[in-house]
């Protein structure tokens, strides 16, 4: 009997994700994809679903962010000890990579729901004595290294992951691939179900595609063609050799490249994008496949700060496991909402004053922006016209930024450096702070402690976005480009404000920067600043709507119930 026995009693939904963000000090995530995975798992535990999850250990994390004196991002390995949180599972599996046998262990983290449910998450680890020094590093760095490193990691996730669950004694009724990184699992499943037919005319007849498709669910997250993982067949051969006949893979994953998205699309009976708009964009990108849409959410209990937790416990008890109760937010007195928010804001302002020497105060309208610094997120759209910005916002608005750029993304790092130089240049005219090392604890404090949450990506490149949903759980309105989830959550002047024109299908181009920046300045000047300072009643009305109309819907409990009814049980 092992500590896993109690999880082996019924067939599971097995959720595979290259990154999973469960808590702040388990640094195995880089951003939205990982946080979504963690929130998914927590809701699955709360709802007592038969669920297990598989990811990689990422012993050195994504990275810890610091800056030199010019604001240039420096990245360091994260130092953490898995044994503090996890137990080694009683099994090891192996996989052939580059002709060598690589052994894979799994650490188990048990997610415990406050409702009594629990489920295991397996962190695959090659850093064990059986392996060569080189292979021990394969599970060190999330999104590190080159394509060769990536395809090995994806082989471990997909192939060794399936083997590990089997070795541990799990039966699986659905495999859910969270993004294409995991799609090699389909090949392993084809191997498992290979038909025992002798002397066939057509080699492909031995592969039971239909039964694998029945088992697989695929969620795509990337609305740009270039964002999908592709490998050359040279690299595939170098790493996986004769693991799977090339003729068949070319048929399943593309002739030119091995396209991980295509592989998942071809072997999943249910495919979805992560917001309605993203479903449509993906449908256009992949004609011939049926792409559904299940809009993302956030785990309500995780992303509600302590002040709002106390407030909700008092006025709308039961909210955490039944976020639909947010519809009753009208029963909370205005002053109580305002006070809870001011308390959360005080926490944030104290933090930026202590850590960023920001000299901010709690009565000034505070706008927050935190993202991965990918260029399409346009972190410096706000600075399109600096004179105008200072004229509108100087003395009346203070801005707090955070976010990491991928260590190899010089463009993203440049964007951060720009913000540091604006902060210096505008000293005395406009208050700007940059909080370093954006991670879950900072995300909670920042996205729930500001007065307005700003988001201005280039349409239609934001698949969903989730940080704005965290804000809504804490009465913070969004001010955002109409893309991703906000198309569904936005009601102008009720739940927040839009930036720029209604959603369009056009190819993103530079001219949209000016249009969006203009609208951003206009609304800030004519709507948001006057409402905040002159019409507190209206402001609190909007705060309540963010809770009753947005948090009510954009949570992972609702999302998981939809995955169950639309993807898992069909
Ligand atoms: C929520 C969160 C994200 C994702 O935010 P998006 O709005 O999807 O960009 C990324 N990083 C951290 C630390 C978060 O908490």
């Amino acid at each position: 009997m092992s500590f896993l026995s109690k999880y082996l009693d019924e067939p599971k939904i097995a959720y595979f994700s290259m990154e999973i963000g469960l808590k702040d000090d388990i640094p195995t995530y880089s951003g939205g994809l990982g946080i979504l995975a963690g929130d998914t798992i927590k809701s699955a535990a709360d709802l007592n679903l038969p669920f297990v999850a598989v990811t990689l250990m990422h012993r050195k994390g994504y990275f810890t962010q610091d800056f030199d004196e010019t604001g240039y991002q420096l990245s360091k390995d994260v130092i953490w000890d898995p044994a503090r949180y996890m137990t080694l599972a009683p099994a090891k599996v192996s996989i052939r990579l580059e002709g060598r046998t690589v052994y894979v262990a799994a650490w188990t983290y048990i997610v415990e729901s406050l409702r009594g449910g629990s489920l295991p998450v397996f962190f695959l680890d090659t850093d064990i004595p059986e392996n060569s020094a080189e292979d021990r590093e394969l599970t060190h760095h999330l999104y590190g290294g080159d394509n060769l490193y990536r395809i090995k990691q994806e082989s471990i996730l997909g192939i060794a992951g399936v083997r590990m669950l089997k070795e541990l004694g799990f039966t699986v009724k659905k495999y859910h691939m969270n993004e294409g990184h995991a799609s090699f699992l389909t090949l392993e499943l084809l191997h498992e179900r290979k038909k025992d037919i002798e002397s066939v005319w057509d080699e492909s007849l031995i592969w039971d595609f239909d039964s694998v498709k029945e088992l697989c669910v695929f969620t795509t997250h990337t609305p740009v063609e270039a964002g999908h993982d592709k490998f050359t067949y040279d690299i595939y051969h170098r790493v996986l050799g004769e693991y799977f006949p090339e003729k068949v893979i070319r048929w399943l994953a593309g002739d030119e490249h091995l396209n991980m998205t295509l592989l998942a699309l071809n072997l999943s009976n249910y495919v979805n994008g992560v917001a309605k708009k993203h479903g449509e964009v993906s449908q256009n990108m992949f004609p011939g496949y049926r792409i559904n849409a299940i809009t993302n959410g956030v785990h309500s209990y995780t992303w509600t700060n302590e002040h709002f937790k106390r407030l909700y416990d008092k006025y709308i008890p039961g909210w955490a496991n039944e976020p639909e109760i947010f519809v009753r937010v009208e029963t909370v007195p205005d002053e109580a909402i305002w006070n809870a928010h001011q308390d959360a804001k005080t926490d944030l302002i104290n933090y930026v004053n202590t850590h960023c020497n920001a000299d901010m105060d709690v009565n000034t309208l505070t706008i927050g922006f935190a993202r991965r610094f990918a260029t399409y997120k346009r972190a410096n759209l706000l600075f399109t016209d600096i004179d105008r910005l200072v004229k509108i916002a100087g003395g009346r608005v203070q801005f707090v930024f955070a976010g990491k750029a991928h260590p190899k993304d010089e463009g993203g790092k440049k964007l951060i450096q720009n913000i540091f130089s604006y902060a210096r240049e505008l000293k005395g005219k406009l208050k700007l702070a940059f909080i370093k090392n954006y991670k879950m604890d900072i995300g909670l404090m920042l996205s729930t402690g500001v007065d307005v949450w700003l988001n201005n990506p280039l349409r239609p490149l934001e698949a969903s976005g989730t940080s704005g949903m965290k804000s809504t759980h804490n009465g913070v309105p969004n001010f955002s480009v109409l893309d991703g989830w906000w198309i569904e959550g936005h009601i102008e002047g009720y739940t927040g404000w839009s930036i720029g024109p209604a959603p369009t299908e056009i190819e993103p181009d530079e001219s949209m920067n000016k249009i969006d920046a203009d609208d951003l300045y206009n609304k800030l000047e004519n709507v948001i600043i006057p409402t905040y300072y002159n019409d507190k009643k209206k402001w609190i009305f909007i705060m309540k709507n963010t809770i009753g109309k947005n948090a009510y819907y954009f949570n992972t409990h609702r999302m998981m119930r939809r995955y169950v009814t639309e993807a898992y049980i069909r």
Side-chain angles (χ1 to χ4, degrees), residues 31-32 35 303 371 377 438-440 465-467 470:
I35 307 278
W303 296 108
R371 311 273 137 190
K377 304 244 189 192
Y438 183 40
K439 52 195 180 81
M440 288 178 74
T466 52
S467 55
K470 303 167 190 168

Side-chain angles (χ1 to χ4, degrees), residues 184-231:
F184 282 142
L185 71 79
T186 57
L187 301 182
E188 182 66 8
L189 296 178
L190 284 171
H191 266 302
E192 277 184 1
R193 285 161 186 74
K194 197 153 69 179
K195 290 176 194 159
D196 192 11
I197 313 175
E198 280 187 30
S199 75
V200 283
W201 300 103
D202 179 351
E203 200 200 334
S204 66
L205 289 179
I206 63 171
W207 304 105
D208 191 349
F209 301 118
D210 287 342
S211 86
V212 170
K213 280 182 79 162
E214 263 314 302
L215 276 173
C216 291
V217 170
F218 172 48
T219 302
T220 176
H221 294 261
T222 319
V224 248
E225 183 44 36
H228 297 265
D229 262 355
K230 293 186 188 104
F231 299 107

Side-chain angles (χ1 to χ4, degrees), residues 201-425:
W201 300 103
D202 179 351
E203 200 200 334
S204 66
L205 289 179
I206 63 171
W207 304 105
D208 191 349
F209 301 118
D210 287 342
S211 86
V212 170
K213 280 182 79 162
E214 263 314 302
L215 276 173
C216 291
V217 170
F218 172 48
T219 302
T220 176
H221 294 261
T222 319
V224 248
E225 183 44 36
H228 297 265
D229 262 355
K230 293 186 188 104
F231 299 107
T232 63
Y233 282 101
D234 274 354
I235 284 197
Y236 167 78
H237 271 297
R238 174 163 167 193
V239 173
L240 286 170
E242 301 304 312
Y243 169 66
F244 206 88
E246 179 166 333
K247 198 173 98 185
V248 186
I249 304 199
R250 279 182 186 268
W251 188 59
L252 293 169
D255 205 31
E256 203 175 322
H257 294 281
L258 197 171
N259 180 331
M260 296 296 277
T261 302
L262 212 50
L263 181 60
L265 283 171
N266 278 323
L267 286 166
S268 300
N269 251 356
Y270 182 90
V271 179
N272 73 292
V274 290
K276 288 188 172 66
K277 177 71 177 176
H278 178 238
E280 289 166 23
V281 169
S282 306
Q283 183 69 77
N284 292 338
M285 212 156 49
F286 307 116
Y289 299 89
R290 180 172 157 67
I291 318 281
N292 303 276
I294 296 180
T295 303
N296 281 343
V298 296
H299 185 250
S300 301
Y301 190 78
T302 301
W303 296 108
T304 298
N305 65 47
E306 55 175 311
H307 308 290
F308 274 82
K309 274 182 180 150
R310 225 173 291 133
L311 183 76
Y312 296 150
D313 282 345
K314 178 164 175 196
Y315 291 99
I316 44 174
W319 61 280
N321 210 47
E322 197 182 347
E324 294 91 324
I325 296 179
F326 283 133
V327 75
R328 294 185 53 75
V329 67
E330 295 308 330
T331 60
V332 185
D334 280 8
E335 276 311 297
I337 294 261
W338 182 258
N339 292 339
H341 174 67
Q342 286 302 96
D343 288 346
K345 187 172 174 184
T346 302
D347 292 346
L348 171 68
I349 299 296
N350 287 343
Y351 186 93
V352 293
N353 287 348
T354 310
H355 292 84
C356 313
N357 203 7
D359 188 29
M360 291 189 174
D361 78 89
V362 79
N363 294 316
T364 300
L365 173 61
T366 303
I367 297 185
F369 181 101
R371 311 273 137 190
R372 281 184 303 114
F373 273 69
T375 37
Y376 82 86
K377 304 244 189 192
R378 296 192 298 186
N380 48 15
L381 188 77
L382 183 66
F383 304 102
T384 306
D385 181 344
I386 301 214
D387 291 340
R388 189 162 173 207
L389 175 65
V390 170
K391 211 165 128 236
I392 295 170
R396 292 193 289 180
V397 188
Q398 49 200 15
F399 294 92
V400 186
F401 287 86
K404 292 174 175 175
H406 187 281
K408 287 193 177 145
D409 178 7
E410 293 303 325
K413 286 196 265 190
K414 186 82 201 154
L415 283 179
I416 300 181
Q417 212 173 11
N418 287 344
I419 291 178
F420 274 83
S421 64
Y422 292 133
R424 266 194 313 272
E425 204 178 298

